[in-house]
Amino acid sequence: MDSPLAAADSSPAGAPTTLAPRPLRRLAVPDGLTLLYADAALLVLEKPAGLLSVPGRGPENADCLSARVQAQYPDALIVHRLDMGTSGLIVMARGAAAQSALSTAFAKRLVHKRYQALVAGIPDACGADGQGWSDIHLPLIVDWPNRPKSKVCLETGKPSHTRWRLLGQQRQAELDAARLELEPVTGRSHQLRLHLQAIGHPILGDELYADDAALAAAPRLLLHACCIDLPHPVTGERLRFESAAPF
């Protein structure tokens, strides 16, 4: 799709610019786990917004989904992550063999994920295919002076592909907003958040990439992992799990 490259940086050799980061908003996170599926090789969980997937730096960031899971399932191992502000479906492997099988499935793009998001403004879907899907192809790279952010870089970024389609429109805190279904074809850090910001429609509540109005429009990042379809790490059977967006 034709997209404004608002976040593009085609001159990586220039002097780096360091931006003062916004303070992260702490959310009230419920105790315990929401476990949707468990067997001897696979766990499927629903992560609340505000909870880390893995431990962060310092004792104040020790509470995380993986620690909570491992307290009940000591053999549970991380396969993929969700950003702290993102809610929704995440899978963990039980044991090294299952972890290796699931990691291979992710690498071969045999795992399919869908998200929902509320974004500022109404994206132009005039170039969508017959099912309403549009594409964003913008290369991404870690923005080292401004970690943990990433950025679009046309010269050194890694190829990145997001599909999106419009599910509806609404008003959100004085803003016109759109509900989108998203499919990350590649899996770069912050890909969905940065791709949407780069085409001029940041996710509401995004502390890293939204402008002030879009940030103030929601108390949290309005991004939810709503569907995951994957092969079972032992049997190979296709499994599909869904979770309704809480916003």
Side-chain angles (χ1 to χ4, degrees):
M1 60 176 289
D2 293 332
S3 310
L5 304 185
D9 178 2
S10 60
S11 302
T17 300
T18 302
L19 304 176
R22 288 173 171 146
L24 295 179
R25 295 176 291 187
R26 290 289 179 176
L27 302 176
V29 179
D31 295 330
L33 296 170
T34 301
L35 182 65
L36 303 183
Y37 177 88
D39 65 21
L42 177 68
L43 302 170
V44 182
L45 305 113
E46 195 168 79
K47 187 186 83 66
L51 183 66
L52 292 164
S53 294
V54 297
R57 293 182 180 178
E60 71 276 11
N61 293 313
D63 183 28
C64 62
L65 183 69
S66 63
R68 293 184 182 188
V69 174
Q70 288 162 358
Q72 296 187 32
Y73 299 90
D75 60 350
L77 298 170
I78 282 287
V79 179
H80 67 121
R81 305 179 187 185
L82 295 177
D83 294 341
M84 183 173 69
T86 304
S87 56
L89 297 173
I90 188 169
V91 301
M92 294 183 70
R94 297 191 65 185
Q99 184 189 42
S100 177
L102 286 171
S103 296
T104 298
F106 271 92
K108 291 183 175 180
R109 298 184 182 174
L110 300 177
V111 179
H112 306 295
K113 297 183 288 181
R114 295 278 177 88
Y115 294 73
Q116 281 194 23
L118 282 182
V119 304
I122 313 300
D124 183 359
C126 63
D129 66 16
Q131 295 183 317
W133 289 99
S134 298
D135 296 282
I136 304 171
H137 291 278
L138 291 172
L140 303 179
I141 191 171
V142 174
D143 187 0
W144 288 106
N146 298 299
R147 293 186 301 276
K149 296 178 73 173
S150 292
K151 64 179 180 178
V152 173
C153 183
L154 302 181
E155 293 191 358
T156 61
K158 295 180 179 179
S160 305
H161 180 194
T162 297
R163 302 175 73 226
W164 67 270
R165 64 179 172 183
L166 183 65
L167 296 179
Q169 303 178 22
Q170 63 190 72
R171 293 284 288 177
Q172 186 86 10
E174 307 303 321
L175 289 178
D176 287 323
R179 182 176 294 272
L180 303 184
E181 184 174 15
L182 305 168
E183 181 182 340
V185 180
T186 53
R188 310 299 180 201
S189 178
H190 297 173
Q191 176 177 312
L192 299 177
R193 300 163 68 176
L194 185 50
H195 270 178
L196 290 166
Q197 185 268 345
I199 66 166
H201 300 282
I203 299 175
L204 301 184
D206 191 337
E207 295 154 311
L208 294 181
Y209 301 107
D211 57 29
D212 290 344
L215 174 64
R220 54 155 288 196
L221 175 70
L222 296 188
L223 179 63
H224 183 78
C226 60
C227 180
I228 189 165
D229 182 292
L230 73 162
H232 189 277
V234 174
T235 68
E237 176 189 1
R238 296 293 313 184
L239 301 174
R240 180 182 178 91
F241 302 92
E242 296 185 358
S243 170
F247 49 79

